[in-house]
Amino acid sequence: MSITSRTAIPSLIPRLVQAHIGTRLASTAVHFYQNKQLELYASKEANRLTLRQLVFFGRSMNEERLIKSANYVRTELPVRIAHRLRDMQALPYVVVTQEGVAKVYELYWTAFDKFRRYPQINTLEENDAFCAFLRTILDEHSTVIPSLSLGLSLSSPYLAPDRLDSFMRRMLVSRISRRVLAEHHVALSQAFQRGREGKVPSGAPVGIIHTGLNVKESIERCAAYLRSRPYDVDQDIMEGGSANLDWSEVAIDGHLETTFAYIREHLEYIIFELLKNSFRASRIKHPTVSKLPPIRATIVAADNQVTIRISDQGGGLMNSHITTPSDLFSFSHVRNATRLDDARLGALRTVSSSTRGMKATVDEQVETWRRQENTASDPRESPEQNAGVAPHPSIGIGLPMSNIFATYFGGSLELVSMDGYGTDVYLRLPRLGTNLEGIEV
Ligand code: COI
């Protein structure tokens, strides 16, 4: 599908100009009507859910409940998209028209318009068509993160750091929330089709939620995947002439039997990024040793929280670019000067303009891993290899995205730098599933 039908939806610039400064345009009536629709949806509250509600609803499925789920997604997503479109309309003109931001605005406007026109779903056949529609939109949005990251980096000189970061956070939390709802519904529908009517057995996945997610296995799966391709995390170290690229050992200790209900792809995205950073830092700090100091992953399960601490001896986080570890989560060049690096902007441009975009590192990782069985994976089955995607350059969004994933259902990600020695990262995730999705949806 083309991104925008120009006859049905006027181009971005007039719409934004009108939204910002009220210019009267030739097609003012159309624009006015469309923005009225947007306002109507944006004025509604999002119906936020907890992880537990997603599990409880999905656990016993029948036709009526599946249709109910479809119509919830159909009516909820345009509300959530409308909030973010309004948010974008409130940005300074120089920001919304920035390469990347403008593209995302168009994508969201088109999606909003399609969802609001989508007819009520009454039958299983109609639900199949709706799932296909969702899958198409999910794919079309695969480059949203690098596009936004590029656009916001380019806009960094025009936005105060707090404003930039809070805007980006709302965009990313909301995006996760929409993808969770859409993917959960698609997964519930697939399970239903495979004949899983009735109650899902305890410990089995419910939609996209793994009710018995084994933390140790997730860490092992991420380590195995990364170990299979050290060249990817180590491009510039190789260029620096390191002779030995052996992967650090990942020693896992603590409560090794820990399981909890969570979205496996969110957990593994974070662990994957943290291990990648630890390995990279360890290799840079110890360029010539043949056996790198181990990376230690400690799992601690309390009644209401699972904590994973990842400790490395990679020298710590401080460098000339940042003054506090949390600056690494920032998209503003004021807090993190690397945001305006030419090489990074170039890499972002490449990824955001490719048709696959971030699928390789986020979405495809997420989607492919979902299909795998819940065991430590064979590295040959790694998502990027399955997708046949070559290693891509670093675009600096792993840590900010990990922070967003961690906090989405009320968890946290804390970086503690022991400068000159190493870094401890504490990932805390709620265990009971009773926290609502982030307020920013
Ligand atoms: C996104 O991926 O950015 C979305 O908003 C997807 C959603 C419309 C299903």
Side-chain angles (χ1 to χ4, degrees), residues 77 81 108 111 115 134 137-138 141-142 144 174-176 178-179 182 363:
L77 289 190
I81 300 174
Y108 283 174
F115 273 108
L134 288 177
I137 296 213
L138 286 164
H141 286 222
S142 65
V144 158
S174 179
R175 178 177 193 263
I176 293 178
R178 294 188 304 267
R179 292 185 82 87
D363 299 331

